[in-house]
Amino acid sequence: MRRPAEWAGGGARRPARSVLVGSIADMAGSRVPRQLFLQGVAAVFMFAFASLYTQIPGLYGPEGILPARKTLRPQGKGRWQQLWETPTLLWEAPRLGLDTAQGLELLTLLGTVLALGTLLLNSLRHSLIYFLLWAAYLSAYQVGQVFLYFQWDSLLLETGFLAVLVAPLRQPPNRKQASQGGLAEASPHEGLPFWLVRWLLFRLMFASGVVKLTSRCPTWWGLTALTYHYETQCLPTPAAWFAHHLPVWLHRLSVVATFLIEIAVPPLFFVPVRHLRLAAFYAQALLQVLIIVTGNYNFFNLLTLVLTTSLLDDDHLSAEPGLNHHKKITTSWPKALLTILSLLLKLATCGLLAYGTVYYFDLEVDWQQYTIRSRTTFTFHQFSQWLKMVTLPTVWLGVASLAWELLKALWRWTQLRGWLRKFYAAVQLSISGTAVVTLFLISLVPYSYVEPGTHGRLWTPAHRLFGAVEHLQLANSYGLFRRMTGVGGRPEVVLEGSYDGHHWTEIEFMYKPGNVSRPPPVLVPHQPRLDWQMWFAALGPHTHSPWFTNLVLCLLQGKEPVIHLIQNNVTMYPFHKQPPTYIRAQRYKYWFSPPGKQGQWWRRQWVEEFFPPVSLGDPTLEMLLRQFGLQDKSPPRARSPNNSLSQALNWIRMQLSPLEPPTLLWGLLGAVAAVRVMQAMLAPWSLQSSPLARREKHKPAPKKDSGAASDQAAPGPNSSTSSSRITRRKK
């Protein structure tokens, strides 16, 4: 029996039962979005590994600010227990003759190359490859200390683990077979883990919107946050200067739009009406693109854009153009009723969002001044009561959506033919379904942090599951831009060095604000982690940032790896010939310069001394080093100078060190683009020269008789045998 032919995507008429099955398959059409997601995750891993690699000697090397070897000290525990408690592959670095920092270099290099290959080669988009990428970044995270404790690092680890589940264990058939095979070629569990990506996107955006109001930050409540954000963010771009000088009423309206996109829109991720889901996608994508244009947030917004692929489907991306055009339009009353209900739901949702925005933010058009006035009309107590009311229902919304995905997967499983294939698919579906449900339960714990009452009412086993795997970063809590800092001017720490203690010279960083005449840089997707931590250090006293004392010590000692973090071109460092005798730090406040100031991007004002003048052997410096436990008496692990792997790593470092990190990352991006263009140009030629294409070319043309025509014509003497059998069954 040739059952698969009945499901082919050609022009042959299909049985009525297949129409229902086809509609179920269309609802699960996420093959192309999944591929985009996997490619996007690989690209972000490539950027993250390459960016971190350029900074390892200065951050974690033996002469770095926080040497990585201090974090991995054997404590007499068993090998596997030690690996479980501190899950990092760097425990094995000594077996290769490398110290911890060189092991980290090897790990990030391999991660970059593996992610690059995964981005370019479809055959490498395998579950095992993504597991290796995730394990490598988790290994770096374990020794990264404060310089890797950012929300986007946790987000990348959580997303990377989801990619392990989304990626196939075996490569799917080629595109032509997939389009012809339809449901018969698809595994029932394929799209199930991809739902977790949508759930992660919901948690990220909804929590990021809610914490802005639960923090009681007056700028968010007063809708004035964006009048400060562009100049007070860590590393603004040149476009941020222009955005900062936009009218205040537009800034206030932008805050309203932010609340709408981050709080009101995310529940639409789970609605059954695809046009509402697509509208939610474009809203999220617009927000991320605007953030990328005005701020250097490394790979974070790129990663968020990768998560938004979970809102797309094959039809919207025209994955198989023309595939569904042959289907006969059904005019049955149930379908017409569903179409009307869908339209009413779209109109009701849009109307409700518009009314709620106007009502709760009192939007009013001022026709005389051509502005839109806005203000918050609800109180903190009202918002807290609303949050208590909706947090648990959003959990049940996730439960209902996941249950629907499981039912769709189960339905697809019932359509499989052959007991062996059905058994194999049942095992896959059971494992995948169990993993998805378990990760969903684990994620409920950090998600419920947005509302303490809901957190206390969660199922107890969910808390236990989360506690058991919390150190693996499988699920995390998020809340970006919780409070707006620098309302009275952005605080900035400026380091100064001197040879005599009287004449001081500023030490200017490559990226963070310093020289008021230097324009803000464009760094995406690179993250200069020292510059970021300098921004956090400026928000409080230096004792809140213990690593800063070690930075001062490294500069007094003239440690070249640390100097490279400040100026990649050492000759630009004012003390490159001889280390300074004294180091101190001053706190300034910076503001964007007003329009009309030619050649000046910033203006600044001195505030106070941030770190007192110290020199090598200074009692104050020694006391701070002892207080923060930064005096390391243990010598570095000995490594063989003749180790070929160590020599290879040193050679690679020498070749790449002249390149500035953003240039290196943009070079990788350009190489990917060039290879992609070459692949697109060679694809038609390779397709024509393939053995399958040559066989198709020499295959004799089929006779113009039976097929679709015999299905429509009355049975006659020239009818096929199969057609006559169908006729007999009907009788």
Side-chain angles (χ1 to χ4, degrees):
M1 297 178 65
R2 298 177 60 188
R3 290 286 185 187
E6 297 177 6
W7 302 92
R13 184 170 57 90
R14 299 189 298 175
R17 182 169 172 266
S18 70
V19 175
L20 176 60
V21 177
S23 63
I24 296 292
D26 292 340
M27 291 162 61
S30 61
R31 182 182 296 272
V32 175
R34 289 200 306 270
Q35 286 299 315
L36 287 176
F37 169 75
L38 293 176
Q39 293 179 58
V41 171
V44 173
F45 266 126
M46 180 184 70
F47 294 140
F49 279 123
S51 176
L52 182 59
Y53 169 79
T54 63
Q55 305 172 73
I56 289 174
L59 295 179
Y60 306 118
E63 297 185 340
I65 300 173
L66 295 176
R69 60 187 173 86
K70 297 181 181 180
T71 63
L72 296 182
R73 298 187 184 278
Q75 299 177 353
K77 299 179 180 179
R79 184 178 181 184
W80 294 108
Q81 182 183 359
Q82 184 176 259
L83 184 62
W84 172 254
E85 293 179 358
T86 308
T88 174
L89 299 173
L90 295 174
W91 288 114
E92 306 301 318
R95 296 175 182 269
L96 301 175
L98 306 174
D99 61 19
T100 306
Q102 282 198 313
L104 185 57
E105 285 191 28
L106 177 63
L107 208 58
T108 51
L109 275 176
L110 293 177
T112 303
V113 173
L114 191 59
L116 176 61
T118 306
L119 184 58
L120 294 175
L121 301 176
N122 185 52
S123 58
L124 287 180
R125 291 179 206 134
H126 188 278
S127 183
L128 177 61
I129 300 297
Y130 284 95
F131 177 79
L132 293 176
L133 292 172
W134 172 80
Y137 204 76
L138 179 64
S139 299
Y141 180 85
Q142 295 297 324
V143 301
Q145 304 168 78
V146 69
F147 292 109
L148 240 67
Y149 290 168
F150 292 96
Q151 290 195 49
W152 37 82
D153 293 310
S154 299
L155 181 64
L156 178 56
L157 284 170
E158 185 171 352
T159 306
F161 192 79
L162 295 185
V164 176
L165 301 179
V166 173
L169 284 171
R170 62 180 181 87
Q171 286 303 316
N174 60 54
R175 188 177 300 176
K176 182 177 180 180
Q177 290 175 343
S179 63
Q180 291 180 348
L183 185 63
E185 296 292 346
S187 299
H189 73 286
E190 262 187 1
L192 192 55
F194 198 43
W195 179 89
L196 286 173
V197 179
R198 188 182 303 177
W199 172 245
L200 172 58
L201 177 65
F202 170 79
R203 286 165 40 217
L204 171 67
M205 301 311 301
F206 186 74
S208 296
V210 165
V211 298
K212 291 176 174 61
L213 295 174
T214 57
S215 68
R216 300 195 183 196
C217 177
T219 63
W220 286 115
W221 279 93
L223 306 182
T224 59
L226 291 185
T227 61
Y228 307 104
H229 164 74
Y230 297 112
E231 74 175 1
T232 62
Q233 60 184 321
C234 179
L235 295 173
T237 66
W241 185 92
F242 296 96
H244 176 73
H245 293 293
L246 290 173
V248 174
W249 69 267
L250 188 56
H251 285 159
R252 297 173 65 92
L253 190 62
S254 299
V255 174
V256 173
T258 300
F259 286 138
L260 177 66
I261 293 173
E262 292 186 345
I263 298 178
V265 171
L268 300 181
F269 297 170
F270 305 108
V271 296
V273 181
R274 64 185 295 268
H275 287 99
L276 291 177
R277 203 164 58 245
L278 292 175
F281 162 78
Y282 283 109
Q284 303 301 323
L286 175 63
L287 177 62
Q288 299 308 315
V289 169
L290 291 176
I291 296 175
I292 291 174
V293 170
T294 57
N296 288 292
Y297 290 95
N298 50 81
F299 57 80
F300 165 62
N301 302 107
L302 299 176
L303 182 56
T304 308
L305 284 173
V306 170
L307 295 178
T308 61
T309 58
S310 60
L311 303 177
L312 300 174
D313 53 46
D314 288 342
D315 289 340
H316 185 67
L317 296 173
S318 300
E320 296 166 3
L323 178 63
N324 297 322
H325 292 293
H326 68 275
K327 293 182 181 179
K328 187 182 295 185
I329 299 177
T330 306
T331 56
S332 59
W333 69 267
K335 187 173 182 65
L337 180 61
L338 286 176
T339 302
I340 295 174
L341 291 176
S342 174
L343 178 60
L344 292 176
L345 182 58
K346 295 175 195 175
L347 294 174
T349 302
C350 294
L352 186 62
L353 289 176
Y355 174 78
T357 304
V358 172
Y359 178 79
Y360 287 108
F361 294 100
D362 195 21
L363 298 185
E364 182 182 355
V365 179
D366 187 339
W367 296 106
Q368 294 182 348
Q369 299 183 6
Y370 298 102
T371 61
I372 299 178
R373 298 176 182 174
S374 56
R375 66 183 182 90
T376 307
T377 61
F378 52 93
T379 65
F380 177 79
H381 175 73
Q382 290 173 328
F383 180 76
S384 299
Q385 293 300 316
W386 175 86
L387 189 60
K388 288 180 182 179
M389 184 176 64
V390 303
T391 302
L392 196 58
T394 59
V395 172
W396 286 113
L397 176 64
V399 170
S401 180
L402 177 57
W404 175 245
E405 294 294 327
L406 289 168
L407 287 174
K408 289 197 296 183
L410 188 61
W411 172 263
R412 291 193 294 271
W413 175 77
T414 62
Q415 306 308 309
L416 296 179
R417 306 294 182 181
W419 67 270
L420 185 61
R421 185 180 179 193
K422 209 165 188 175
F423 173 77
Y424 179 65
V427 173
Q428 287 182 311
L429 182 57
S430 300
I431 296 174
S432 180
T434 302
V436 169
V437 172
T438 302
L439 283 175
F440 174 70
L441 287 175
I442 292 172
S443 71
L444 292 180
V445 178
Y447 169 66
S448 63
Y449 291 157
V450 298
E451 206 287 297
T454 303
H455 180 74
R457 285 183 287 172
L458 277 184
W459 194 36
T460 304
H463 288 277
R464 293 175 183 170
L465 280 173
F466 176 74
V469 298
E470 184 177 5
H471 65 296
L472 298 178
Q473 302 295 308
L474 300 185
N476 301 279
S477 60
Y478 303 100
L480 300 165
F481 305 108
R482 186 186 302 267
R483 297 187 66 87
M484 195 55 57
T485 59
V487 172
R490 65 172 293 147
E492 200 67 58
V493 172
V494 176
L495 281 164
E496 296 177 341
S498 172
Y499 289 118
D500 56 11
H502 299 288
H503 302 86
W504 296 89
T505 302
E506 291 190 8
I507 299 175
E508 188 173 354
F509 283 64
M510 282 186 291
Y511 308 119
K512 81 179 193 69
N515 186 345
V516 295
S517 300
R518 192 186 62 184
V522 177
L523 306 174
V524 174
H526 173 59
Q527 180 185 2
R529 294 181 180 267
L530 176 58
D531 293 63
W532 267 89
Q533 284 300 334
M534 289 289 289
W535 181 78
F536 282 107
L539 301 178
H542 70 86
T543 51
H544 290 179
S545 304
W547 58 268
F548 188 85
T549 303
N550 227 25
L551 170 64
V552 171
L553 176 64
C554 291
L555 294 180
L556 287 171
Q557 294 172 338
K559 297 294 181 65
E560 190 170 330
V562 177
I563 294 173
H564 272 287
L565 295 176
I566 297 174
Q567 286 292 341
N568 194 66
N569 183 1
V570 180
T571 60
M572 300 291 293
Y573 181 68
F575 303 99
H576 65 278
K577 293 182 179 180
Q578 181 183 350
T581 307
Y582 301 93
I583 288 283
R584 72 180 184 184
Q586 307 287 347
R587 196 198 313 264
Y588 285 82
K589 283 192 175 181
Y590 276 67
W591 298 269
F592 273 139
S593 63
K597 288 280 187 178
Q598 294 295 330
Q600 187 171 334
W601 290 82
W602 299 95
R603 59 185 180 91
R604 73 179 188 178
Q605 179 182 339
W606 181 84
V607 178
E608 61 183 350
E609 183 179 74
F610 179 77
F611 194 89
V614 293
S615 59
L616 289 177
D618 188 288
T620 302
L621 181 61
E622 296 297 324
M623 182 268 293
L624 289 172
L625 292 173
R626 285 195 304 270
Q627 178 182 342
F628 299 135
L630 297 173
Q631 286 184 322
D632 188 20
K633 302 298 183 181
S634 61
R637 294 175 183 172
R639 61 190 185 210
S640 173
N642 298 322
N643 187 331
S644 57
L645 183 56
S646 177
Q647 292 176 353
L649 289 173
N650 290 334
W651 181 84
I652 295 173
R653 173 69 62 184
M654 289 177 60
Q655 303 305 310
L656 296 178
S657 58
L659 293 175
E660 287 196 12
T663 305
L664 177 62
L665 268 64
W666 295 336
L668 286 173
L669 184 60
V672 170
V675 172
R676 286 286 191 179
V677 171
M678 292 296 295
Q679 288 176 337
M681 293 174 62
L682 295 176
W685 178 84
S686 60
L687 191 62
Q688 293 175 2
S689 60
S690 64
L692 180 61
R694 287 197 295 269
R695 285 198 300 269
E696 291 288 340
K697 184 177 181 180
H698 293 92
K699 185 185 294 185
K703 294 183 179 180
K704 203 174 181 181
D705 46 28
S706 53
S710 63
D711 289 338
Q712 298 175 6
N718 295 329
S719 298
S720 63
T721 307
S722 60
S723 297
S724 61
R725 282 201 296 267
I726 293 174
T727 306
R728 285 196 295 270
R729 281 203 299 270
K730 288 181 179 179
K731 290 180 181 179

